[in-house]
Amino acid sequence: MVKKIFANIYIYLILFLMYLPILVLIAFAFSTNDTIAFGEAFNPGFDLFINLFSDTKVAHDIWVAVGNTLIIAIISSLVSVLLGTFGAIGVFYMKKRGQKAVEILTQIPVVNAEIVIALSLTVMFVFIGTVIFNGKQIFSFWTLLIGHVVLSLPFVYLSVKPKLQQMDPNLYEAALDLGAKPSQGLSKVIIPQIMPGIFSGFLLSLTLSLDDYIVTEFTRGPGLLSGDAAIETLSTYIQTSLKKHAVPAELRPLTLVIFLTVLLLVVGISLYKAYKPKAKSRREVFNNEKTAL
C-alpha cells in the first residue's frame, strides 16, 4: 500500500514538473508583461493576443515561421509515410538475409545523434553543389525537405513493420488466387490492415518535423514564405530571436493556441477510438438481427 502511494506521488510529481513550464507560458499569455518575471506584478490583459493577430512586423515574422513549419512538416510527413510504408512492405516480402541488412540500415539513423545526420547531409549537399553544379549554392526548400524526410523515414518504417508482422500473410495470397491484381491486393488487403501503423508513423514524423532545429538549421536555404531569405521555422525563429534579444512576447499566446490545438486533436482521436468499437458492435448486432428476420 505504501509503495503504491509513493509510486502515485512520484508519477504525479513528474507530470507536474513536465507541464509546469507549459502552464506558466499559458498563464503569462494573458499578461501584458514583456517578460516572464515572477518578481514583477502580474498585469492581466489580452494585448498579446491582439498583437499576435495584428499587422506588425513581429506578428508577420511569427506567422511566416508558423506557415513554413506547417508546410515542411506536412509535406515531409507525407513523403516519409509514402516511402516508409512501401519500403516496409517491400522489406517484409524480401528474403531473410536482405531483411536483416535493411533493418540494420534503418536503425542507424534512429540511434544516431541528430547532429551527425545534419552534418552528413550538409557535407553531401556541399559536395553536390561543388562537384555537380560547379560551386552553386543548392541549399533551399528541397534540401530542407530531404533532411526532414531522412530524419523521420526510419520512424515510419518502424511504425509500419509491427503491423505487417501481425497481418495474416495468407490473405494477400488468397486475394491473388481469387483474381485480384497485385495492386488491388495491396490497396484492398494490405493497406487497410496496416493503416494504424501508417497513421502512427505520420503523426510521429509530423511531430519530429515540427520541433526539429538541428537538421533545419544545417539544411535550410531561401524559399517558401520567407522569399529570398533563409527559411525560418518556429525553432529557428526562436533561436534567432534569442541571439538578438529576448523572445517576442507574442509567442506566449501562440503557445496557448498550439497547446489547445494539440489537446483537441488528442481528445478527438481518443473519442474516435473509444466510439469506433461500440459503433462497429452495434452495426454487427443490427446486421445479425436483420439476417435473422
Side-chain angles (χ1 to χ4, degrees):
M1 184 66 181
V2 177
K3 290 183 179 180
K4 186 176 181 181
I5 293 174
F6 277 104
N8 290 332
I9 293 174
Y10 177 77
I11 292 172
Y12 287 116
L13 178 62
I14 294 298
L15 291 174
F16 174 74
L17 294 176
M18 286 175 59
Y19 284 98
L20 180 60
I22 299 177
L23 296 176
V24 171
L25 282 176
I26 292 175
F28 276 89
F30 298 96
S31 169
T32 58
N33 299 41
D34 292 333
T35 59
I36 299 177
F38 294 98
E40 299 179 2
F42 185 87
N43 300 314
F46 295 92
D47 294 350
L48 295 181
F49 287 92
I50 297 173
N51 295 338
L52 179 63
F53 294 98
S54 63
D55 188 18
T56 61
K57 185 180 184 306
V58 173
H60 175 267
D61 292 341
I62 291 175
W63 288 114
V64 166
V66 171
N68 288 335
T69 304
L70 291 176
I71 293 172
I72 295 166
I74 293 173
I75 295 177
S76 64
S77 299
L78 292 174
V79 175
S80 298
V81 165
L82 183 65
L83 296 177
T85 300
F86 286 104
I89 294 173
V91 173
F92 181 73
Y93 287 100
M94 287 174 62
K95 294 181 180 180
K96 294 296 182 180
R97 184 178 298 177
Q99 284 184 358
K100 292 181 180 179
V102 174
E103 287 180 0
I104 292 173
L105 291 175
T106 55
Q107 289 175 4
I108 290 175
V110 176
V111 300
N112 208 353
E114 191 174 344
I115 185 65
V116 176
I117 298 174
L119 284 172
S120 302
L121 290 171
T122 303
V123 172
M124 183 186 71
F125 293 142
V126 170
F127 174 79
I128 293 174
T130 303
V131 176
I132 300 178
F133 294 95
N134 297 323
K136 182 180 179 181
Q137 179 67 263
I138 66 170
F139 286 93
S140 63
F141 161 74
W142 298 107
T143 57
L144 179 57
L145 178 62
I146 293 172
H148 279 237
V149 170
V150 170
L151 178 66
S152 57
L153 180 59
F155 294 92
V156 176
Y157 172 83
L158 293 176
S159 298
V160 175
K161 175 188 170 184
K163 295 301 178 182
L164 286 168
Q165 293 174 337
Q166 297 171 8
M167 180 186 68
D168 185 359
N170 296 322
L171 292 177
Y172 178 72
E173 300 296 336
L176 296 181
D177 293 339
L178 291 173
K181 297 179 180 179
S183 58
Q184 292 176 328
L186 177 65
S187 61
K188 296 183 179 181
V189 177
I190 297 179
I191 297 297
Q193 293 189 77
I194 64 174
M195 187 56 69
I198 296 174
F199 185 66
S200 299
F202 175 78
L203 291 180
L204 186 57
S205 60
L206 190 70
T207 303
L208 289 170
S209 179
L210 285 174
D211 65 357
D212 176 74
Y213 169 74
I214 298 177
V215 173
T216 302
E217 179 66 26
F218 277 78
T219 60
R220 64 181 178 143
L224 288 182
L225 302 180
S226 300
D228 295 332
I231 296 174
E232 288 283 5
T233 62
L234 274 176
S235 58
T236 59
Y237 175 75
I238 293 173
Q239 185 65 23
T240 303
S241 300
L242 286 172
K243 292 178 180 179
K244 297 179 180 178
H245 46 75
V247 176
E250 287 79 3
L251 285 173
R252 302 204 297 261
L254 179 64
T255 302
L256 176 59
V257 173
I258 295 174
F259 177 78
L260 291 177
T261 302
V262 173
L263 181 63
L264 291 174
L265 181 62
V266 172
V267 171
I269 293 175
S270 301
L271 292 176
Y272 174 76
K273 288 182 177 180
Y275 174 78
K276 187 177 179 180
K278 296 179 181 179
K280 184 178 179 180
S281 62
R282 285 198 296 266
R283 285 197 302 268
E284 290 176 353
V285 170
F286 176 76
N287 292 332
N288 293 334
E289 292 178 352
K290 186 177 179 181
T291 303
L293 294 174

